[in-house]
Structure formats: C-alpha cells, structure tokens
Amino acid sequence: MAVYALTGFSLVSLLSFGYLSWDWMKPSLVADVAMDPMEKTLPPAFTRPPHIIFILTDDQGYHDVGYHGSDIQTPTLDRLAAEGVKLENYYIQPICTPSRSQLITGRYQIHTGLQHSIIRPRQPNCLPLDQVTLPQKLQEAGYSTHMVGKWHLGFYKKECLPTRRGFDTFLGSLTGNVDYYTYDNCDGPGVCGYDLHEGEDVAWDQSGKYSTFLYAQRVSKILASHNPREPIFIYVAFQAVHTPLQSPKEYIYRYRSMGNVARRKYAAMVTCMDEAVKNITWALKKYGYYDNSVIVFSTDNGGQTFSGGSNWPLRGRKGTYWEGGVRGIGFVHSPLIKRKRRTSWALVHITDWYPTLVSLARGNLSNVPGLDGYNVWPAISEGKESPRTEILHNIDPLYNHAKYGSLEDGFGIWNTAVQASIRVREWKLLTGDPGYSDWIPPQTLTNFPGSWWNLERLTDGLRKSVWLFNITADPYERYDLSDQRPDVVRSLLMRLVHYNQTAIPVRYPAENPRAHPDFNGGAWGPWANEDDAEEWEGIGEPLKSRNKKKKCKICKLRSFFRKLNTRLMSNRI
C-alpha cells in the first residue's frame, strides 16, 4: 500500500469567543437553566413513557464536534454528550435518504427498495406505503408526534407526506437541499421551486427566516402548547449543515481566522446548530419535560469534505462506504439513563432506533416482524453488551460496477464488481467501488482544497474490487487484509449472499416532467393522482431500460410536457 504521509500539517489553534443568545429565547447555558416548578411534581423515571426528542443533523462530519477534537465550537453538544452516553461505535448510511428511511422503518435499504442513491425531487418514488413507520408505532402507543425539518423520503403523491406517515404536524422541506432563507431548490437548470411546508400546505409566509432558527422556534412552540404529562415525540431533522453554506454573519465572524472560506462558513453553521440544540434543551426544561425525556443526537452521513466538512482521521467522505462516510456522531442524553457520563463502544446502527424507541414508549413490536434493528437501550443505559454483531452497510446493484471486479474474485459466489459493504464483529468487507478513498485533514489551510492531494493519499486501490479491514484494530482503514485472510473474505461474502437473497427490487423510477414546480404554483409538492401514480412507478429496472416499457399513453403525455417545459424555459431566457 503506497501512502504519502502528511507533513507539516497543524490545526489552527482554537480561539475563545463569547456565545450569543437569540433574542427570542435568551437562554442561559444548558446546565444553568432554572427548573420550572412543574418539573418538581413529575413522578419518578419510567412511571410514564418518556418524551422522545430525536435530533438529526445533515452532512455533519465525524470530526466536526468539540469532543472529537474539532476546531469548531459545539459547547452544547459537548455538554449533553458528556452528561449522557457517547456512542463511539455508531453507524449510519453514507447519504441522506438511506439514513432517514432506515431510521423511520428500522429496516435496511435492501428491504425497502431504496438501496440506490437518493429519492430525487422529480421521481415518482417515496418510502414504501406498506411500511409501518416509527411515528405510527408511537402514535399507537399514545404519543403526540411532530416533525420539524428535512423529510427527503418522497412526496410525489399526498400519501407519501409526513402527515400521512405518522406525524401529527410537520414544518419543513420535502426535498433534500434548499436555500436556508428563501427555501428555493433547483433540481437542474430552470427546474426551481419553493420548498417549505406547514402540514400539507406551502408555507409561503415563512420565507426569509433562517431555517435553523425557524426549526428551533417551532420545537419550542410545540413544547409550550403540549401537556408535559402526555408523551410526545419530536423528530428534529435540521437542514444544517448541508449545502448551501449559509449562516448569520455573527457566527461567521467567530471563525474569521480560518483561512479556508468553506470551512469558515461550515463552522459557523455547526455552531449555530449547536445553539439551536441549546434552546431546544432549554425549552424541555422550561416547560417541564426534561426529567422524563430522552434526547437522541445523530448525524445522517459523513461530512462532505469539499464543502467544509471533516471526517478526520477516518477515511473517505459522504457518499462512500469507508468509515468517513458511515461512522456517525451519536449520543443519548437523558435523566433516565442508569449509567451516565461514559463512552459506549457497543455496536449500534441507525436502524436500531426504531425498536429501541418503540420499546421505551411501551409500544407493540409484534406486528412489525422482520425488523433489521435491535433494542439497544440496555446497552446504552446499563452498559450491557449490544445485541448487534453485524451491519449490512448496503448492496447496490445499480451503482457503477467496478472495472476490475468479477465473480471469480468473489470465489464464484459473489460478483465483486457490485458495490456492497458489510461488517461482522471486528471485520469489515467492501466490494465494487466504495467511493472516494483518501484521508483528508480538516480544511484549515488557506489554499485548501487546492493542494489537498499533497496531504495524504492512497494510490493502490485503482485495480482492486475487494477490501478487508479489522475495524477494531484499524479504525482508519489503513491496512487491507484481503490477501492475508481469504477465509474471512469468503465468510463475509457468504453473508452478502445471504442478505442479497432477502433483498427486494430496487425502486428508482425515471424522473417525470409533471413534477416541475411550474405546474404546482411554483412550489415542490405532490403532483401525481391515484389514477396515474402507479403508472409512473418503475421498480427494479435501470432508468434507460425502464423508459422503453411505458404505456403509449404515458409516453405521449411525457412528450407533451417536455415540449411545454422547453417552451417555458425558452420564454424565460
């Protein structure tokens, strides 16, 4: 393995800055907030189902939290994690839709048909309607359920919307990437629309409000209006810190010494999000929820290194199956935890939250067989051994096949050209093309990323299609053991074969012109009706071959809208 070592690299020293509070809240630090008198009357832990707050951040890198040694200031996250349980063997998925679908269903992507890429704005696709979701199970258990933030699980028909999938209320965006102030999202040149929704309506009146502030305010409002004696579940899916890199100026000023502009803006967004979490925690205390609450914090995938994020010292980035793409920041903070203030190395995956939270809520899991997640609360709260011993990171049959992969390289049982990854105890196997594979230090140099390739780079992977690592001994994936341990490779390939036999066909339909916001009043939203929705759903076929199988009526309709769209674009130009 040829590696060019990083030389002469040093992180910018941390500076001390004061922390601004928002005018609408003005909270003190988390630990210093005065308790509401109502809290003192609450019964002891677990005499009632706990309030559950699940906070998911977008594209936050593994390195980008204070307690991982970051140069970014996250005092709230640091404190909450220190007082709770840090999950340092916690795994997520490499991109947005897969992580969110597995959180909401407790199932691997191969069991929902979402194993390829993300759900794109113009695709007639969404989280399968036959899946019983986490909020639906919590509703059954008597919870009030609310979602604030990014959905990204499809919206082409109304049945796909958050309010039809188990949430009593929803404020947020349906697509995966919007402007933080205007809430505009462009899915290609000229295909732009507004994307902020209140329930099932377009929230035009909220334009201009910074989304991180807006979402924290909404959580506070929900808590203020709810009875703390009744259980509540709030899923806070921050847009932060996904691109575009936008933040209020006062947060950017704190990082003015950072030479790299992208890193500076990104750092400001992370700190702003940290303060939003502080205000949510403050609201839990103010309105009498905190003593009977469980706060779960998770990232959705690895950081995007060319947009300011850092997964250092892990290998890879967002969109890859290297540790930098799938190992997440995670912690649980709760007065109900029996063994607090510790770090857990129990193996945990994002699918585990479904059975864990439903069990905490005293819900019924007997009518949702086949979950891929495990109840890991005993491992988190009491320090017991995790029931999980393996993780299927994914099998994606549609991703570009590796040039040098073959069935022969897979002992005749697995085509190593197929992108796949699995972990079994300490062993991790990758096949096909796992994605960008370098180790990228934090982007604090003035000329970074212009000279990133001079920092540290792997050069031996171009003709490979199989990698094996002992992740426990080698968490940074520097020593490929596939040649030394063919027995382990074969064993893990057999596990891939097993999982692949349980996979359902991929759901990745062709984009439809009817989804264009111009046909929906200028906003992204549901566009298919019941009569034609099934016609546009393509299942298990690549885009090119699928288009040929559409009925003539649908083909003609598509042609009409393509021509109409071309005319509209020409008029704009």
Side-chain angles (χ1 to χ4, degrees), residues 183-199:
Y183 300 97
D184 291 329
N185 176 27
C186 293
D187 186 40
V191 188
C192 302
Y194 184 82
D195 183 17
L196 184 65
H197 296 258
E198 174 86 54

PDB file of all heavy atoms in Angstrom, residues 183-199:
ATOM      1  N   TYR A 183     -35.729  29.203   0.830  1.00  0.00           N
ATOM      2  CA  TYR A 183     -36.304  27.864   0.705  1.00  0.00           C
ATOM      3  C   TYR A 183     -36.533  27.458  -0.756  1.00  0.00           C
ATOM      4  O   TYR A 183     -37.376  26.616  -1.045  1.00  0.00           O
ATOM      5  CB  TYR A 183     -37.607  27.746   1.521  1.00  0.00           C
ATOM      6  CG  TYR A 183     -37.340  28.003   2.983  1.00  0.00           C
ATOM      7  CD1 TYR A 183     -37.570  29.268   3.545  1.00  0.00           C
ATOM      8  CD2 TYR A 183     -36.793  27.021   3.789  1.00  0.00           C
ATOM      9  CE1 TYR A 183     -37.277  29.530   4.873  1.00  0.00           C
ATOM     10  CE2 TYR A 183     -36.499  27.271   5.127  1.00  0.00           C
ATOM     11  CZ  TYR A 183     -36.743  28.528   5.661  1.00  0.00           C
ATOM     12  OH  TYR A 183     -36.431  28.779   6.976  1.00  0.00           O
ATOM     13  N   ASP A 184     -35.756  28.033  -1.638  1.00  0.00           N
ATOM     14  CA  ASP A 184     -35.788  27.640  -3.040  1.00  0.00           C
ATOM     15  C   ASP A 184     -34.869  26.442  -3.248  1.00  0.00           C
ATOM     16  O   ASP A 184     -33.811  26.339  -2.619  1.00  0.00           O
ATOM     17  CB  ASP A 184     -35.338  28.789  -3.945  1.00  0.00           C
ATOM     18  CG  ASP A 184     -36.349  29.926  -3.977  1.00  0.00           C
ATOM     19  OD1 ASP A 184     -37.548  29.637  -3.827  1.00  0.00           O
ATOM     20  OD2 ASP A 184     -35.943  31.089  -4.139  1.00  0.00           O
ATOM     21  N   ASN A 185     -35.283  25.566  -4.155  1.00  0.00           N
ATOM     22  CA  ASN A 185     -34.462  24.408  -4.505  1.00  0.00           C
ATOM     23  C   ASN A 185     -34.522  24.202  -6.008  1.00  0.00           C
ATOM     24  O   ASN A 185     -35.609  24.150  -6.587  1.00  0.00           O
ATOM     25  CB  ASN A 185     -34.963  23.148  -3.795  1.00  0.00           C
ATOM     26  CG  ASN A 185     -34.193  21.899  -4.222  1.00  0.00           C
ATOM     27  OD1 ASN A 185     -33.029  21.968  -4.617  1.00  0.00           O
ATOM     28  ND2 ASN A 185     -34.847  20.763  -4.164  1.00  0.00           N
ATOM     29  N   CYS A 186     -33.352  24.103  -6.625  1.00  0.00           N
ATOM     30  CA  CYS A 186     -33.271  23.858  -8.065  1.00  0.00           C
ATOM     31  C   CYS A 186     -32.767  22.449  -8.322  1.00  0.00           C
ATOM     32  O   CYS A 186     -31.683  22.080  -7.871  1.00  0.00           O
ATOM     33  CB  CYS A 186     -32.345  24.876  -8.740  1.00  0.00           C
ATOM     34  SG  CYS A 186     -32.978  26.572  -8.713  1.00  0.00           S
ATOM     35  N   ASP A 187     -33.544  21.685  -9.053  1.00  0.00           N
ATOM     36  CA  ASP A 187     -33.156  20.326  -9.420  1.00  0.00           C
ATOM     37  C   ASP A 187     -32.717  20.329 -10.877  1.00  0.00           C
ATOM     38  O   ASP A 187     -33.299  19.665 -11.725  1.00  0.00           O
ATOM     39  CB  ASP A 187     -34.327  19.368  -9.214  1.00  0.00           C
ATOM     40  CG  ASP A 187     -33.933  17.912  -9.444  1.00  0.00           C
ATOM     41  OD1 ASP A 187     -32.827  17.536  -9.034  1.00  0.00           O
ATOM     42  OD2 ASP A 187     -34.748  17.171 -10.033  1.00  0.00           O
ATOM     43  N   GLY A 188     -31.686  21.120 -11.153  1.00  0.00           N
ATOM     44  CA  GLY A 188     -31.216  21.295 -12.519  1.00  0.00           C
ATOM     45  C   GLY A 188     -31.551  22.690 -13.028  1.00  0.00           C
ATOM     46  O   GLY A 188     -32.374  23.403 -12.436  1.00  0.00           O
ATOM     47  N   PRO A 189     -30.927  23.104 -14.118  1.00  0.00           N
ATOM     48  CA  PRO A 189     -31.151  24.440 -14.687  1.00  0.00           C
ATOM     49  C   PRO A 189     -32.620  24.678 -15.012  1.00  0.00           C
ATOM     50  O   PRO A 189     -33.240  23.905 -15.736  1.00  0.00           O
ATOM     51  CB  PRO A 189     -30.290  24.433 -15.959  1.00  0.00           C
ATOM     52  CG  PRO A 189     -29.255  23.382 -15.710  1.00  0.00           C
ATOM     53  CD  PRO A 189     -29.936  22.333 -14.897  1.00  0.00           C
ATOM     54  N   GLY A 190     -33.161  25.734 -14.443  1.00  0.00           N
ATOM     55  CA  GLY A 190     -34.532  26.116 -14.748  1.00  0.00           C
ATOM     56  C   GLY A 190     -35.599  25.308 -14.051  1.00  0.00           C
ATOM     57  O   GLY A 190     -36.793  25.583 -14.220  1.00  0.00           O
ATOM     58  N   VAL A 191     -35.212  24.316 -13.272  1.00  0.00           N
ATOM     59  CA  VAL A 191     -36.205  23.476 -12.583  1.00  0.00           C
ATOM     60  C   VAL A 191     -36.156  23.845 -11.101  1.00  0.00           C
ATOM     61  O   VAL A 191     -35.606  23.120 -10.268  1.00  0.00           O
ATOM     62  CB  VAL A 191     -35.927  21.981 -12.789  1.00  0.00           C
ATOM     63  CG1 VAL A 191     -37.082  21.148 -12.235  1.00  0.00           C
ATOM     64  CG2 VAL A 191     -35.714  21.672 -14.257  1.00  0.00           C
ATOM     65  N   CYS A 192     -36.725  24.983 -10.768  1.00  0.00           N
ATOM     66  CA  CYS A 192     -36.620  25.539  -9.424  1.00  0.00           C
ATOM     67  C   CYS A 192     -37.995  25.747  -8.805  1.00  0.00           C
ATOM     68  O   CYS A 192     -38.969  26.027  -9.507  1.00  0.00           O
ATOM     69  CB  CYS A 192     -35.877  26.872  -9.447  1.00  0.00           C
ATOM     70  SG  CYS A 192     -34.201  26.765 -10.142  1.00  0.00           S
ATOM     71  N   GLY A 193     -38.059  25.610  -7.498  1.00  0.00           N
ATOM     72  CA  GLY A 193     -39.316  25.817  -6.808  1.00  0.00           C
ATOM     73  C   GLY A 193     -39.109  26.060  -5.334  1.00  0.00           C
ATOM     74  O   GLY A 193     -38.037  25.819  -4.776  1.00  0.00           O
ATOM     75  N   TYR A 194     -40.141  26.536  -4.688  1.00  0.00           N
ATOM     76  CA  TYR A 194     -40.137  26.833  -3.251  1.00  0.00           C
ATOM     77  C   TYR A 194     -40.417  25.547  -2.492  1.00  0.00           C
ATOM     78  O   TYR A 194     -41.261  24.744  -2.895  1.00  0.00           O
ATOM     79  CB  TYR A 194     -41.216  27.874  -2.968  1.00  0.00           C
ATOM     80  CG  TYR A 194     -41.275  28.360  -1.540  1.00  0.00           C
ATOM     81  CD1 TYR A 194     -40.413  29.354  -1.096  1.00  0.00           C
ATOM     82  CD2 TYR A 194     -42.221  27.865  -0.646  1.00  0.00           C
ATOM     83  CE1 TYR A 194     -40.484  29.835   0.212  1.00  0.00           C
ATOM     84  CE2 TYR A 194     -42.305  28.329   0.659  1.00  0.00           C
ATOM     85  CZ  TYR A 194     -41.434  29.323   1.081  1.00  0.00           C
ATOM     86  OH  TYR A 194     -41.507  29.793   2.364  1.00  0.00           O
ATOM     87  N   ASP A 195     -39.726  25.355  -1.358  1.00  0.00           N
ATOM     88  CA  ASP A 195     -39.922  24.118  -0.605  1.00  0.00           C
ATOM     89  C   ASP A 195     -39.862  24.362   0.901  1.00  0.00           C
ATOM     90  O   ASP A 195     -38.861  24.094   1.563  1.00  0.00           O
ATOM     91  CB  ASP A 195     -38.882  23.067  -1.012  1.00  0.00           C
ATOM     92  CG  ASP A 195     -39.103  21.733  -0.299  1.00  0.00           C
ATOM     93  OD1 ASP A 195     -40.204  21.530   0.229  1.00  0.00           O
ATOM     94  OD2 ASP A 195     -38.169  20.912  -0.260  1.00  0.00           O
ATOM     95  N   LEU A 196     -40.927  24.898   1.437  1.00  0.00           N
ATOM     96  CA  LEU A 196     -41.155  24.939   2.881  1.00  0.00           C
ATOM     97  C   LEU A 196     -42.642  24.703   3.076  1.00  0.00           C
ATOM     98  O   LEU A 196     -43.468  25.412   2.494  1.00  0.00           O
ATOM     99  CB  LEU A 196     -40.727  26.266   3.499  1.00  0.00           C
ATOM    100  CG  LEU A 196     -40.860  26.317   5.025  1.00  0.00           C
ATOM    101  CD1 LEU A 196     -39.901  25.323   5.693  1.00  0.00           C
ATOM    102  CD2 LEU A 196     -40.617  27.721   5.568  1.00  0.00           C
ATOM    103  N   HIS A 197     -42.952  23.705   3.891  1.00  0.00           N
ATOM    104  CA  HIS A 197     -44.343  23.285   4.027  1.00  0.00           C
ATOM    105  C   HIS A 197     -44.769  23.254   5.484  1.00  0.00           C
ATOM    106  O   HIS A 197     -44.009  22.846   6.367  1.00  0.00           O
ATOM    107  CB  HIS A 197     -44.540  21.900   3.395  1.00  0.00           C
ATOM    108  CG  HIS A 197     -44.304  21.880   1.928  1.00  0.00           C
ATOM    109  ND1 HIS A 197     -45.320  21.877   0.999  1.00  0.00           N
ATOM    110  CD2 HIS A 197     -43.147  21.872   1.205  1.00  0.00           C
ATOM    111  CE1 HIS A 197     -44.819  21.871  -0.222  1.00  0.00           C
ATOM    112  NE2 HIS A 197     -43.504  21.857  -0.127  1.00  0.00           N
ATOM    113  N   GLU A 198     -45.988  23.689   5.704  1.00  0.00           N
ATOM    114  CA  GLU A 198     -46.647  23.602   7.017  1.00  0.00           C
ATOM    115  C   GLU A 198     -47.771  22.594   6.861  1.00  0.00           C
ATOM    116  O   GLU A 198     -48.761  22.853   6.167  1.00  0.00           O
ATOM    117  CB  GLU A 198     -47.215  24.957   7.405  1.00  0.00           C
ATOM    118  CG  GLU A 198     -48.045  24.945   8.675  1.00  0.00           C
ATOM    119  CD  GLU A 198     -47.219  25.118   9.931  1.00  0.00           C
ATOM    120  OE1 GLU A 198     -46.451  26.097  10.012  1.00  0.00           O
ATOM    121  OE2 GLU A 198     -47.339  24.265  10.823  1.00  0.00           O
ATOM    122  N   GLY A 199     -47.605  21.425   7.464  1.00  0.00           N
ATOM    123  CA  GLY A 199     -48.566  20.360   7.221  1.00  0.00           C
ATOM    124  C   GLY A 199     -48.499  19.949   5.761  1.00  0.00           C
ATOM    125  O   GLY A 199     -47.440  19.589   5.249  1.00  0.00           O
TER     126      GLY A 199
END
